[in-house]
Amino acid sequence: MWSRSQIVISSRRPLPNYWADPRINFVAVDFMHPVEENIAKLKDVCQGVTHVFYTSYAHSDDFKGLPEKNIPLFRSFMDAIEATCPRLQRVCMYTGGKV
């Protein structure tokens, strides 16, 4: 059974508002930075993580340019998550449309 006893939220910049919930841990992580840097930031807080929801996206007005930014972004995310979440069971990748 999936338990939400701990929730880790990451964003490349600090959040403007925080939740009054003791289960939530916020970590500022930019997945375009070197993966070793992100692993160092996540390794202590992600030991119990079992489920991950990925919603990052780097926009480009040129549709052909989207893979240049988004493939390395997702790869860096997955490399950091695989290295820091030994109990990982599931990754959910949110996809949507901007246009």
Side-chain angles (χ1 to χ4, degrees):
M1 183 71 178
W2 181 39
S3 169
R4 291 175 289 234
S5 59
Q6 178 188 21
I7 301 167
V8 180
I9 299 174
S10 69
S11 174
R12 65 185 177 113
R13 58 188 122 152
L15 299 174
N17 299 309
Y18 289 90
W19 295 270
D21 187 329
R23 299 173 302 163
I24 295 176
N25 293 300
F26 174 78
V27 183
V29 178
D30 187 337
F31 290 106
M32 294 304 283
H33 287 177
V35 71
E36 296 80 15
E37 178 182 316
N38 294 326
I39 289 171
K41 289 180 178 181
L42 295 169
K43 68 180 178 182
D44 292 332
V45 74
C46 288
Q47 291 297 308
V49 170
T50 57
H51 293 69
V52 175
F53 299 88
Y54 178 83
T55 61
S56 296
Y57 175 78
H59 182 69
S60 173
D61 289 332
D62 175 18
F63 184 75
K64 292 180 182 179
L66 290 174
E68 291 177 23
K69 297 177 181 179
N70 288 290
I71 290 173
L73 179 64
F74 184 66
R75 183 171 288 130
S76 175
F77 168 79
M78 285 304 301
D79 288 346
I81 293 304
E82 287 178 338
T84 58
C85 302
R87 297 181 57 208
L88 186 65
Q89 297 174 17
R90 191 154 324 223
V91 176
C92 179
M93 181 177 174
Y94 172 80
T95 59
K98 295 273 186 185
V99 183

